[in-house]
Amino acid sequence: MKRFIIVFCAFALMFSVVTAQQKREFRGAWIQCVNGQFKGMATSAMQQTLSYQLDELQKDGCNAIIFQVRPECDALYQSDLEPWSYYLTGEQGRAPQPYWDPLQWMIEQCHQRGMELHAWINPYRAKTKSPHANARNHVIVKHPEWTFQYDGLTLLNPALQECRDYICAVTADIVERYDVDGLHIDDYFYPYPVAGVKIPDDAYYAANNNGITDQKDWRRYNVDLFIQQLSKTIHAVKPWVKFGVSPFGIFRNKKSDPNGSNTNGLQNYDDLYANVLLWDANKWMDYCVPQLYWEIGNKAADYDELIHWWNNHLVKTPLFIGEDVERTVKHSDPKQTDRHQLAPKMALHQQLPNVQGTVLWYAKAAVDNIGNYGTSLRNNYWRYPALQPVMTHIDQKAPKKPRKVKVLDMDGQQVLFWTAPKGKSWKDEAVKYVVYRFAEGEPVNINDASKIVKITSDTHYELPADAWHNTYVVTALDRMQNESNGVKKKVK
């Protein structure tokens, strides 16, 4: 009897976690190239590797990929402004052979799988510490006066308007020519400080300080100008493309600011000159992904402390949490030491009202299923599909509902068809559809994520063999995933 009770309780707990899933949740994963994982890889091999990763991430429940396309003022896409990336072909400026465009290919592959694709650029980094020659059309060669050296890195100078204009021109080119869903930057603003190494910008500060009497305030001002300009640039080209920022996980420590977190580590505001809360207050970001790569109980930067801090202080921008997969499975749950920290971290996500999503660092770690991380996502936490969080500051009007919903027999296969609703602009044009399934006699509730069977850009859905006497509901989604009213169709 005791064994039965234990098994029953375990099953009930699992079921409650699964059915408690939110209908809207950003479920992302970073795919980086700067670590060299694709460098010199043949076209077919890289496509095969990426296809496998995308397939596994789709099974895990991911609905967004953040793909690094500009690691050091170069390109993993066809560009007339910057050279092909060293991290793609092994030689900066050399096109891939056989030729392909990784960004365009990734957009197509992600959209086929119902995922968003966010193009990830590193704004200021012009050259990593990896030794290689620069192409003739690289910004270091064309405009060395725009750059400075710091601890083996070459960086575009955030103090120069020419650099801000240049980065925004590159960004506008990406957004204009590619059907990206988002434009993403990470935590590299001014360089991470190295003891004894000074940022060589005294002359720039003396010549053009804009009346700002503190050099650190001036550096923050420079980055603020860039974030504002980049946000405006993206939305001027395509208003629906989301601008996302992924800052370092600590804004300020309490010893520096009474409103800071109870932590003791490097600080965005003081060390990287990134005033993230100002960007939030001015709505310059469409989403924010602080990198909370530590574990629960870390002495210098406790994950529990930091996720609560960001939940309480980022008040105007959708908040997603950057998760370190490897560190999560490496450390034990402090309250239940026979398991790792995925469960308590996910519990915090579900408990905190402003946390609307997760981004996995990094994609391959989840794909490799270390610590059964991927299995837990697909069987439990991300078992059912999820829509993207709404972005009401961009658009909050839903499209009209689908038309002419009907079931047809196509050579023995029952297919649910519908017609796109009429729309006059991007704000009310349907680009995807959600198909829900309800058993006979079951109340229709499209707020229940477990009833979603498909999120698709197609205007049809092949019904399974057991579809008889079920009720299907089809809704339309616009570019910001505002959802229409549903149209019901009972399969007789």
Side-chain angles (χ1 to χ4, degrees):
M1 184 64 178
K2 287 183 179 180
R3 183 172 180 273
F4 170 79
I5 293 173
I6 292 171
V7 171
F8 176 81
C9 290
F11 176 81
L13 177 61
M14 180 185 71
F15 185 78
S16 67
V17 171
V18 169
T19 56
Q21 288 181 35
Q22 297 177 355
K23 180 180 170 180
R24 292 185 179 272
E25 185 177 18
F26 190 92
R27 301 171 177 176
W30 281 292
I31 297 181
Q32 83 277 36
C33 68
V34 76
N35 66 343
Q37 66 173 321
F38 303 125
K39 187 177 66 176
M41 187 179 286
T43 297
S44 59
M46 184 170 171
Q47 290 179 351
Q48 184 178 10
T49 298
L50 287 170
S51 292
Y52 174 72
Q53 290 188 8
L54 293 178
D55 287 343
E56 293 302 300
L57 291 168
Q58 182 185 25
K59 294 173 186 175
D60 288 345
C62 279
N63 59 17
I65 298 297
I66 300 175
F67 181 54
Q68 189 175 30
V69 300
R70 185 183 185 260
E72 50 172 18
C73 294
D74 53 4
L76 273 81
Y77 60 95
Q78 175 59 53
S79 172
D80 293 332
L81 302 178
E82 296 187 316
W84 284 102
S85 178
Y86 161 77
Y87 290 99
L88 177 63
T89 65
E91 178 186 340
Q92 192 176 87
R94 179 161 62 90
Q97 295 295 332
Y99 178 84
W100 70 308
D101 185 323
L103 175 56
Q104 180 60 37
W105 187 87
M106 282 291 286
I107 291 169
E108 294 168 359
Q109 294 295 314
C110 286
H111 288 178
Q112 288 172 13
R113 292 169 173 81
M115 298 173 172
E116 290 192 347
L117 190 285
H118 294 226
W120 164 19
I121 71 170
N122 299 85
Y124 297 115
R125 186 171 61 207
K127 191 171 185 178
T128 66
K129 294 181 181 181
S130 179
H132 60 272
N134 290 110
R136 288 181 297 175
N137 63 331
H138 192 269
V139 67
I140 288 177
V141 178
K142 294 172 67 177
H143 293 286
E145 72 279 9
W146 289 358
T147 69
F148 63 76
Q149 305 290 317
Y150 187 87
D151 190 42
L153 300 173
T154 305
L155 304 168
L156 295 180
N157 190 342
L160 299 181
Q161 184 61 47
E162 294 92 335
C163 292
R164 294 192 283 271
D165 292 342
Y166 175 71
I167 300 166
C168 287
V170 170
T171 300
D173 177 59
I174 294 172
V175 175
E176 174 67 36
R177 293 191 296 116
Y178 292 92
D179 187 21
V180 295
D181 301 288
L183 195 290
H184 183 91
I185 66 174
D186 54 12
D187 52 319
Y188 295 100
F189 301 104
Y190 275 89
Y192 275 72
V194 175
V197 182
K198 192 175 185 299
I199 297 174
D201 62 355
D202 288 351
Y204 296 99
Y205 175 62
N208 186 20
N209 59 25
N210 296 292
I212 300 172
T213 57
D214 182 276
Q215 190 173 15
K216 292 185 176 182
D217 287 339
W218 172 75
R219 288 173 182 162
R220 280 185 282 270
Y221 172 74
N222 293 332
V223 179
D224 294 342
L225 288 177
F226 166 68
I227 295 295
Q228 183 180 23
Q229 182 177 347
L230 185 60
S231 179
K232 288 182 177 179
T233 297
I234 294 165
H235 294 131
V237 177
K238 289 179 180 174
W240 60 85
V241 173
K242 306 166 191 173
F243 174 40
V245 180
S246 180
F248 182 72
I250 298 173
F251 180 67
R252 299 193 85 186
N253 300 311
K254 193 175 289 291
K255 66 181 181 181
S256 301
D257 182 345
N259 292 319
S261 53
N262 188 21
T263 51
N264 184 27
L266 184 135
Q267 305 166 98
N268 271 295
Y269 184 89
D270 303 82
D271 301 312
L272 302 177
Y273 308 102
N275 192 355
V276 183
L277 293 191
L278 178 68
W279 311 341
D280 172 55
N282 287 295
K283 299 182 180 179
W284 292 340
M285 306 176 290
D286 296 316
Y287 67 88
C288 183
V289 192
Q291 298 170 12
L292 305 192
Y293 291 167
W294 302 275
E295 70 276 9
I296 297 172
N298 184 286
K299 293 181 180 179
D302 182 9
Y303 179 96
D304 188 286
E305 163 73 14
L306 284 166
I307 194 172
H308 279 90
W309 189 93
W310 285 98
N311 176 78
N312 295 335
H313 288 83
L314 200 81
V315 295
K316 294 186 177 180
T317 306
L319 172 63
F320 314 146
I321 303 299
E323 292 284 354
D324 187 316
V325 174
E326 291 183 343
R327 185 168 292 190
T328 296
V329 302
K330 177 182 177 181
H331 293 274
S332 298
D333 178 356
K335 296 182 179 178
Q336 191 173 326
T337 56
D338 60 343
R339 65 178 186 179
H340 57 59
Q341 293 196 356
L342 177 59
K345 284 186 174 183
M346 283 297 188
L348 287 168
H349 283 235
Q350 294 167 355
Q351 294 163 11
L352 298 176
N354 292 331
V355 175
Q356 300 182 50
T358 306
V359 182
L360 306 178
W361 177 258
Y362 48 100
K364 188 177 184 299
V367 169
D368 290 345
N369 197 30
I370 60 174
N372 287 319
Y373 196 103
T375 299
S376 297
L377 292 179
R378 69 179 64 181
N379 292 339
N380 195 344
Y381 300 106
W382 293 355
R383 179 176 177 180
Y384 302 116
L387 280 64
Q388 296 291 345
V390 292
M391 301 272 177
T392 56
H393 62 286
I394 298 177
D395 174 37
Q396 57 183 334
K397 183 180 179 182
K400 294 181 180 178
K401 60 187 179 182
R403 301 178 295 146
K404 302 178 182 178
V405 179
K406 55 189 174 183
V407 177
L408 297 178
D409 188 301
M410 307 296 290
D411 296 326
Q413 171 66 57
Q414 300 296 307
V415 182
L416 183 66
F417 284 95
W418 59 88
T419 302
K422 295 180 179 180
K424 296 181 180 179
S425 71
W426 69 268
K427 287 189 174 183
D428 53 17
E429 177 188 12
V431 296
K432 289 183 180 180
Y433 304 89
V434 187
V435 181
Y436 302 83
R437 172 177 170 170
F438 300 91
E440 184 176 17
E442 185 178 22
V444 172
N445 175 18
I446 65 171
N447 291 319
D448 185 349
S450 70
K451 302 305 176 183
I452 299 175
V453 293
K454 191 74 172 179
I455 300 174
T456 179
S457 56
D458 296 328
T459 53
H460 65 273
Y461 170 69
E462 292 187 3
L463 297 174
D466 62 350
W468 308 114
H469 306 297
N470 288 174
T471 296
Y472 286 83
V473 177
V474 184
T475 63
L477 301 174
D478 63 17
R479 283 192 176 271
M480 302 314 300
Q481 299 229 333
N482 295 302
E483 188 175 22
S484 74
N485 292 326
V487 179
K488 293 189 289 186
K489 184 65 180 179
K490 187 171 184 178
V491 182
K492 299 182 179 178

